[in-house]
């Protein structure tokens, strides 16, 4: 029989950014913390989303008691519809977080059968052996929580994503008192956000952005168009406050901006007097100096609001002289060029743009080194496991904990799939469970895999050359073709000689095979493919995908 | 007859990063400043390099007197082989710059017939009407120059890429005295580097990196492996100096690192006593603490030295416990993820890595705001034209000049292809010349264009579906097929139903056409393509490229 043990099973989010999901297992109870997506790498052509492979949860379905959400960002809730379709567990979270989940479940048509359980910050959910307490923390989305998980073997404290902001917009600070109290009680395991562990010092308060915004607003003559993250309701509030201060009406543009602002206002997280909200359709009815537009597209996404305005393809908003654009966000790594493209385009159109390189108009929602040190020092855990970050971040968070006095053997730098098992014998990290990713492309989930992606990459690199030939199945002679079509390889008008040569080579190769009575089409296709590939590489130093097709007639 | 006029014709490098090339034309003389490449955007699949379209130069071949190089970076010299193959003009540059050009011409087998003309800093080349003076400046590659172009209408000062470093590694400071003297004489037009115009203050001296390196070297126990830009010879020198100070031999790894270090040592720009240089093959013969390896791959390029070492695919170097890696470079926008991937991998292998987020081990080679202000104030030009930068940089450089007192109508923010024409009537910017880009893919130059790239993007996104059918050309009936092959679309085993349905739809569509005696294959193919595309989008929300092929037998 197994000894009593407590397992922490990261199914995503360790050694990677995004796709956060962790299972905590004790006896016959499993709880799931978060269910996030990650965004595809640039070489995952055509993939819309990446979601975690939850085979482990499916195999232990009967143990699962529910999902507990730390906050409403995509990398923590984006995969929930896909997960609930397979395991309809109760989902616990604060009201705003569940409000955002609700929107997703509606889109997937599974809201009705879902079991969303709103909790208040400070509330504790009791299961059979486990108890889960929601502890308020500050982050770049309102209503974020850390989770204290009480187990018969001790307390696990999972910080979620957090920062320490002594002047938070909603007055709801990271609950340091509660963390200190837990520290006093004794915390078995701390799992803490590693995102900003490489940044020295202390993050800046969100409130400082409000001051910058008011300064900028005070000098603006025309419309102000601010692009920011739709989920950053505190930022939205500050933009609204600055607008009201300078007598501007506020319009929201972009689907997620409209959705989230509505949810946030309905639930009381975003406070804007009704008379200041206008519909984006009515923007032109107001004098320019009385309008603020809050839009999506702060990452330069070509289909989002900001880019559409910049390139003149927005349904309702076109650039006016005197418009002032503010990009109140940092480019996420990989998006710098997209953001720069939009900035250039706006300057070309003759309007002004303010962005992070010029003014302090964005702050991070993740704790810097000094904030992390504070949490470690308050909580004084027995064991520590850095979470949320690439390996470099986990490694540096480990180093930080050790510098603060933890023994190296009490700190566990694990990656997705590695199990942290605590028993009375101590900690064992040698077990692994199956984990992985599923690609979402269009409607399909998991029907695009590595082979399909490899083919897409090959096709992208040098295009394709298809060779078709019809062969008489009675006497094995060529009756039509070879015909050649190419796409993405070379300009047809430049390629005439090359294509003729491909036809010639294919013909020779087929005839050679037929003479030798090689009637295995697979063998024949391979020899055609190889000869053509060889010729094309020699001639062009390119490797298009070559597809010979044989028709028997 | 035309009035006397002086034309500045940017053929690349304005409103974009890279591909720097400018023509200066006076009467029947044209000189070309630099001939650079740019690197392909992520969506230019399969493209190796982007070079400028020089149609304007080809059309005015007889006027061209030579090319004048500011420095040896790829974005200033990379296109020279492609240009010289079409116009064999003399190429003037300092010795290191020409040394690097020489390497390129050798690779392209055109060194012998090329006319490389080495100049010394301070030297002046006299043409019929124009005189070109090379003025030393500091930049992240040694032997960089600004160019003063003396014309009958006045002096043009082109800064090239530069910074102001009061403690340069080679003692060769940006020649402020000369610039001041020109300013006193009167400069008609200043063209100045805009890359870092958004950065406040003054750039840091290259020398400070040397101090950081020495501190890091002093504590290292095992091998030190430094990745940096192969062209940054000052950085190489400082790494070498730190190595020598701590009694380490130096090995160079990576083709460009080996090439450029050799050129730099031969020409006397890099000073390392022979006994400290070892071959990369011999690294393992020395104790770890006596070895420094300087390698390529600082941008995380998957095929370069650093990545190969990290992923265990380097021919000669494998990771040892105790190795210390230093990435002495900033990720160029777009490369952040690649660099991060390598860092993560190195940490996973258990070695230490120092990079820009942790230590000051890289400085920029481009002037910040205060340096630019100094140049403007010394030169006091009549006209100003910001160069080298995206539109946002040109715009901010314009603003800077105006803040310093220039009249807005004397500052010209042009983009590639817009001609700045100075005559006694003043300045005219209404003329344009043909410019553009050519893609280099494998051996081909210009045979991949927008249509080919569009096809590659389409193929990359959702793959392709090819439908082949053989039709009897006597009685117009289907004799074989339709057969369907797909690549990059969907897992074949998931797709059986879909593929059968595609066959069915194609068959119906063809039969319908044949019944109606539609025997135009193009019409028939279009109806098959449309029906299949419609079905696939409806079924999967994807848009693979659909290629119907009809064989007449």
């Amino acid at each position: 029989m197994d000894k009593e043990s407590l397992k922490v099973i990261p199914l995503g989010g360790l050694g990677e950014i995004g796709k956060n999901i962790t299972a905590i297992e004790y006896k016959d109870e499993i709880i799931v913390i978060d269910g996030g997506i990650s965004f595809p790498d640039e070489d995952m052509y055509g993939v819309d989303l990446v979601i975690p492979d939850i085979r482990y949860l499916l195999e232990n379905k009967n143990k699962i008691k529910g999902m507990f959400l730390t906050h409403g960002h995509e990398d923590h809730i984006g995969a929930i519809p896909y997960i609930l379709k397979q395991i309809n567990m109760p989902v616990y979270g604060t009201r705003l977080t569940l409000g955002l989940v609700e929107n997703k479940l509606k889109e997937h048509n599974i809201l009705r059968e879902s079991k969303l359980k709103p909790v208040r910050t400070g509330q504790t959910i009791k299961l059979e052996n486990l108890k889960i307490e929601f502890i308020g923390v500050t982050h770049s989305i309102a209503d974020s929580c850390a989770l204290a998980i009480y187990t018969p073997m001790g307390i696990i404290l999972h910080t979620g994503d957090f920062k320490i902001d002594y002047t938070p917009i909603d007055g709801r600070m990271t609950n340091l008192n509660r963390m200190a109290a837990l520290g006093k009680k004794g915390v078995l395991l701390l799992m803490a956000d590693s995102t900003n562990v490489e940044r020295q010092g202390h993050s800046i308060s969100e409130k400082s952005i409000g001051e910058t915004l008011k300064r900028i607003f005070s000098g603006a003559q025309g419309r102000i168009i601010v692009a920011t993250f739709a989920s950053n309701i505190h930022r939205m509030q500050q933009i609204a406050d600055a607008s009201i201060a300078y007598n501007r009406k506020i319009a929201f543009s972009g689907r997620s901006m409209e959705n989230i602002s509505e949810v946030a206002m309905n639930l009381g997280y975003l406070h804007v007097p009704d008379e200041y909200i206008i519909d984006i359709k009515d923007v032109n009815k107001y004098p320019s100096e009385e309008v603020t537009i809050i839009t999506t597209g702060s990452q330069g996404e070509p289909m989002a609001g900001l880019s559409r305005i910049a390139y003149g393809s927005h349904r309702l908003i076109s650039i006016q002289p005197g418009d002032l654009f503010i990009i109140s966000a940092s480019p996420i790594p990989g998006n710098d060029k997209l953001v720069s493209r939009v900035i250039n385009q706006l300057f070309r159109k003759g309007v002004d743009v303010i962005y992070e390189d010029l003014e302090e108009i964005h702050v991070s929602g993740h704790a810097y080194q000094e904030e992390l040190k504070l949490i470690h020092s308050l909580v004084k855990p027995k064991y520590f496991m850095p979470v949320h970050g690439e390996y470099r971040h986990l490694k540096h968070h480990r180093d930080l904990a050790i510098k603060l006095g933890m023994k190296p053997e009490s700190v566990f730098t694990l990656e997705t799939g590695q199990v942290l098992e605590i028993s009375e014998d101590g900690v064992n990290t040698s077990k692994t469970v199956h984990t992985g990713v599923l690609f979402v492309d269009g409607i399909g989930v998991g029907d695009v895999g590595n082979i399909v992606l490899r083919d897409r990459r090959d096709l992208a690199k040098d295009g394709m050359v298809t060779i078709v030939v019809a062969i008489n199945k009675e006497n094995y002679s060529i009756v039509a073709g070879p015909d050649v079509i190419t796409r993405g390889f070379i300009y047809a008008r430049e390629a005439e000689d090359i294509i003729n040569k491909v036809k010639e080579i294919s013909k020779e190769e087929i005839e050679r095979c037929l003479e030798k009575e090689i009637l295995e089409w697979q063998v024949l296709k391979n020899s055609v493919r190889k000869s053509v590939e060889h010729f094309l590489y020699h001639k062009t130093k390119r490797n298009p995908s070559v597809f010979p097709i044989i028709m028997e007639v």
Side-chain angles (χ1 to χ4, degrees), chain A:
Chain A
M1 227 192 77
D2 267 1
K3 279 207 202 93
E4 189 186 23
S5 84
L6 174 64
K7 289 184 202 157
V8 177
I9 308 164
L11 300 173
L14 262 62
E16 60 180 328
I17 295 288
K19 199 160 69 58
N20 293 292
I21 176 168
T22 308
I24 309 273
E25 183 169 353
Y26 177 80
K27 288 191 171 160
D28 57 353
E29 279 183 341
I30 290 180
I31 62 165
V32 182
I33 300 176
D34 292 334
I37 54 153
S38 64
F39 293 98
D41 289 344
E42 319 80 79
D43 62 349
M44 296 179 184
Y45 296 139
V47 173
D48 301 320
L49 298 177
V50 179
I51 61 175
D53 184 335
I54 55 165
R55 191 197 292 178
Y56 184 78
L57 298 180
L58 292 168
E59 285 168 354
N60 293 279
K61 217 166 173 172
N62 57 326
K63 292 186 178 181
I64 297 176
K65 302 303 174 202
M67 182 178 265
F68 294 78
L69 304 181
T70 60
H71 63 286
H73 277 152
E74 287 297 317
D75 54 335
H76 291 259
I77 66 166
I80 293 179
Y82 303 95
I83 297 172
L84 293 191
K85 280 177 197 170
Q86 300 177 78
I87 309 173
N88 188 7
M89 62 184 106
V91 178
Y92 300 87
T94 49
R95 283 164 65 232
L96 179 68
T97 307
L98 290 192
L100 297 172
V101 171
E102 227 177 271
N103 267 350
K104 291 185 182 300
L105 300 181
K106 257 185 228 159
E107 279 173 25
H108 283 259
N109 273 316
I110 54 166
L111 179 58
R112 223 167 42 85
E113 60 267 40
S114 299
K115 294 174 275 186
L116 301 187
K117 311 278 186 187
V119 293
R120 268 166 296 101
T121 303
Q123 199 179 327
T124 300
I125 306 299
K126 288 185 192 159
L127 306 174
E128 203 183 310
N129 294 303
L130 303 175
K131 268 193 333 187
I132 298 92
E133 180 187 348
F134 285 76
I135 300 171
V137 297
T138 312
H139 183 44
S140 45
I141 184 168
D143 231 10
S144 296
C145 287
L147 300 175
I149 300 140
Y150 299 83
T151 81
M153 303 193 63
I155 300 170
I156 300 175
L157 179 61
H158 187 300
T159 65
D161 284 358
F162 81 104
K163 70 184 285 190
I164 294 171
D165 186 339
Y166 297 101
T167 52
I169 302 310
D170 57 1
R172 182 178 168 283
M173 229 188 87
T174 292
N175 193 339
L176 298 174
N177 291 337
R178 190 64 197 135
M179 304 221 178
L182 288 173
K184 205 170 164 199
K185 226 181 248 185
V187 167
L188 177 67
L189 173 67
L190 172 66
M191 302 167 73
D193 180 7
S194 311
T195 312
N196 273 343
V197 68
E198 292 181 0
R199 300 205 191 169
Q200 292 178 356
H202 201 291
S203 70
I204 292 169
S205 171
E206 175 68 28
K207 196 153 266 175
S208 72
I209 304 308
E211 287 152 24
T212 312
L213 286 173
K214 280 194 182 146
R215 181 169 47 72
I216 296 171
F217 273 56
S218 75
Q221 307 293 320
R223 297 186 304 185
I224 297 180
I225 296 133
V226 192
T228 189
F229 296 107
S231 63
N232 197 332
I233 290 146
H234 296 323
R235 189 68 48 82
M236 246 190 251
Q237 183 70 60
Q238 299 204 90
I239 299 165
D241 290 349
S243 299
I244 293 165
Y246 291 96
N247 195 35
R248 289 174 180 267
K249 313 281 184 205
I250 298 144
F252 296 98
S253 160
R255 200 168 63 103
S256 61
M257 196 58 83
E258 290 168 37
N259 283 343
I260 296 182
S261 62
E262 198 186 323
V263 171
M265 284 191 285
N266 288 342
L267 297 176
Y269 292 91
L270 177 62
H271 309 278
V272 189
D274 280 350
E275 64 270 27
Y276 279 96
I277 300 284
I278 59 175
D279 196 288
I280 186 77
K281 284 193 220 61
D282 298 330
V283 156
N284 295 331
K285 295 183 188 156
Y286 296 86
S288 301
E289 68 276 17
E290 291 178 19
V291 170
T292 299
I293 298 166
I294 308 182
T295 181
T296 53
S298 65
Q299 295 301 306
E301 309 93 315
M303 305 309 275
L306 184 65
S307 284
R308 285 185 183 278
I309 297 173
Y311 286 95
S313 64
H314 195 285
R315 209 162 37 91
L316 298 164
I317 311 298
S318 49
I319 289 181
Q320 292 174 3
D323 281 350
L324 171 64
F325 286 79
I326 302 173
I327 302 178
S328 182
S330 286
I332 294 168
N335 291 346
D336 321 60
K337 280 189 180 182
L338 284 177
V339 174
S340 210
R341 229 174 268 178
V342 173
I343 292 171
N344 289 324
Q345 180 62 15
L346 289 170
F347 278 132
R348 277 195 184 97
K349 293 273 185 99
V351 294
D352 227 336
V353 196
I354 295 172
Y355 43 98
E356 214 195 8
D357 294 338
L358 307 177
E359 288 268 13
E360 209 160 71
I361 41 159
H362 182 66
V363 292
S364 172
H366 298 272
Y368 286 21
Q369 284 176 7
E370 296 307 313
E371 296 155 80
L372 294 172
K373 288 180 192 168
L374 174 54
I375 293 300
H376 279 265
S377 302
L378 291 177
V379 175
K380 292 186 292 289
K382 183 168 180 194
Y383 301 123
F384 170 58
M385 173 177 171
V387 296
H388 300 169
E390 297 177 26
Y391 197 87
R392 59 193 260 191
H393 305 118
L394 306 182
K395 195 265 178 198
H396 284 125
H397 205 170
R398 173 192 166 84
D399 291 350
L400 179 140
I402 291 168
K403 265 186 211 153
L404 291 174
M406 285 198 81
K407 282 177 282 182
E409 58 271 27
S410 301
V411 182
F412 302 93
T413 319
L414 305 188
E415 292 203 72
T416 296
Q418 265 187 289
V419 179
L420 180 91
E421 184 171 18
I422 306 176
S423 67
E424 56 189 31
D425 297 345
V427 176
N428 177 351
T429 59
S430 61
K431 287 186 192 157
T432 58
V433 302
H434 174 88
T435 54
V437 296
L438 294 177
F439 300 129
V440 179
D441 178 2
I443 292 174
V445 178
D447 63 351
V448 166
N450 289 328
I451 297 171
V452 174
L453 284 187
R454 191 202 56 202
D455 287 344
R456 287 183 186 173
R457 277 192 285 267
D458 287 347
L459 289 167
K461 200 172 166 309
D462 288 321
M464 64 102 170
V465 174
T466 299
I467 301 154
V468 202
V469 65
I471 289 181
N472 183 322
K473 60 186 160 189
E474 311 285 302
N475 64 7
Y476 296 109
S477 65
I478 295 176
V479 292
D483 285 352
V484 172
I485 70 156
T486 82
R487 282 295 187 291
F489 168 51
I490 198 167
Y491 264 146
R493 66 158 197 274
E494 308 258 345
E496 210 173 308
D497 291 353
I498 291 180
I499 286 173
N500 286 336
K501 187 76 187 165
V502 168
K503 285 184 191 169
E504 201 179 294
I505 291 171
S506 306
K507 189 153 180 276
E508 275 167 24
E509 202 59 51
I510 293 165
E511 282 171 351
R512 203 178 53 78
C513 286
L514 293 177
E515 265 166 38
K516 289 204 219 149
E517 297 194 344
I518 296 171
L519 304 175
E520 284 278 351
W521 292 155
Q522 204 49 53
V523 176
L524 198 155
K525 282 200 252 179
N526 274 339
S527 16
V528 171
R529 191 169 46 71
K530 274 185 194 154
S531 303
V532 171
E533 278 174 356
H534 182 264
F535 162 71
L536 291 176
Y537 184 73
H538 177 75
K539 189 80 185 169
T540 66
K541 289 278 179 294
R542 295 179 205 169
N543 286 309
S545 302
V546 175
F547 306 119
I549 305 176
I550 294 169
M551 303 282 290
E552 283 185 78
V553 297

